[in-house]
Amino acid sequence: MTNALIVVDVQNDFCEGGSLGINGGADTAAKITEYLAAGGYDHVAATRDYHIDPGAHFSDNPDFVRSWPRHCEAGTAGASFHPALDVGPIAAVFSKGQYSDGYSGFEGHTDAGDGLAEWLRARDVTTVDVVGIAMDFCVRATALDAARAGFATRVLLDFTAGATQATVDKAIADLREAGVELTGSPRVGG
């Protein structure tokens, strides 16, 4: 039985100055780097939005629920991990949303085609901690899917950034209802 940290979407487009920048995103990247330096995880994985043609997920008139302005397009600087995130400890990257919305890291795959659940199980992971951006969207979806897949799941709120208080509050309620453990307090502000 081993544990893993899942770092969700700490990408340039989700930090200040990005197309969907969240206040505190860059600081969250730096805090995750500092946290990773302390060790304590058998495995570290990361997810990233990596859109090629996500259909209605991109919109010129987004509703900011299911449709959004263009972001994290494959091969662009916006899709790159934020420079404050040390990617050295990350053993595998799961790209998601190439041809869909891609909220959950469990929808993603490595370049070799491995899915996140299979990758974790192949390493005997039973417990996962989830951190990253945005707490109220992709962190929420990834943590919910981790719990559904049978992993003991915890979201470390001090290492997340969220878009709005209302959506963060809803995400917290959803996570609690699903039995996900929550520690700390989220940063909010879009």
Side-chain angles (χ1 to χ4, degrees), residues 128-149:
V128 297
D129 286 348
V130 184
V131 299
I133 307 169
M135 188 276 163
D136 32 355
F137 293 96
C138 296
V139 170
R140 171 193 169 276
T142 300
L144 289 172
D145 279 353
R148 282 186 203 109

Side-chain angles (χ1 to χ4, degrees), residues 91-107:
V93 175
F94 297 84
S95 300
K96 58 190 178 62
Q98 288 91 335
Y99 301 98
S100 66
D101 295 347
Y103 289 98
S104 171
F106 285 83
E107 298 172 55

Side-chain angles (χ1 to χ4, degrees), residues 8 83 88 114 151 166 189:
V8 177
D114 298 323
F151 299 100

Side-chain angles (χ1 to χ4, degrees), residues 1-4 42-43 117-127 151:
M1 297 190 321
T2 64
N3 67 4
D42 299 306
H43 307 283
E118 297 77 23
W119 187 87
L120 293 167
R121 287 189 183 107
R123 285 150 184 83
D124 296 322
V125 171
T126 56
T127 303
F151 299 100

Side-chain angles (χ1 to χ4, degrees), residues 3-176:
N3 67 4
L5 180 69
I6 302 171
V7 179
V8 177
D9 299 2
V10 181
Q11 296 169 265
N12 290 325
D13 271 349
F14 296 137
C15 295
E16 295 86 346
S19 63
L20 286 175
I22 291 180
N23 288 337
D27 186 52
T28 297
K31 286 173 73 175
I32 292 169
T33 291
E34 184 178 316
Y35 182 68
L36 280 169
Y41 290 95
D42 299 306
H43 307 283
V44 179
T47 70
R48 66 177 178 175
D49 257 14
Y50 210 64
H51 298 304
I52 295 171
D53 182 8
H57 186 64
F58 283 171
S59 174
D60 292 332
N61 299 300
D63 63 13
F64 296 95
V65 177
R66 296 307 290 183
S67 62
W68 305 87
R70 290 186 168 280
H71 62 279
C72 297
E73 293 181 80
T76 67
S80 296
F81 289 113
H82 191 275
L85 176 68
D86 178 6
V87 297
I90 296 169
V93 175
F94 297 84
S95 300
K96 58 190 178 62
Q98 288 91 335
Y99 301 98
S100 66
D101 295 347
Y103 289 98
S104 171
F106 285 83
E107 298 172 55
H109 293 87
T110 64
D111 288 343
D114 298 323
L116 182 53
E118 297 77 23
W119 187 87
L120 293 167
R121 287 189 183 107
R123 285 150 184 83
D124 296 322
V125 171
T126 56
T127 303
V128 297
D129 286 348
V130 184
V131 299
I133 307 169
M135 188 276 163
D136 32 355
F137 293 96
C138 296
V139 170
R140 171 193 169 276
T142 300
L144 289 172
D145 279 353
R148 282 186 203 109
F151 299 100
T153 306
R154 182 170 66 161
V155 174
L156 309 180
L157 295 172
D158 290 336
F159 302 96
T160 66
T164 70
Q165 191 65 56
T167 53
V168 166
D169 290 346
K170 170 83 168 80
I172 287 172
D174 292 346
L175 291 164
R176 281 193 178 124

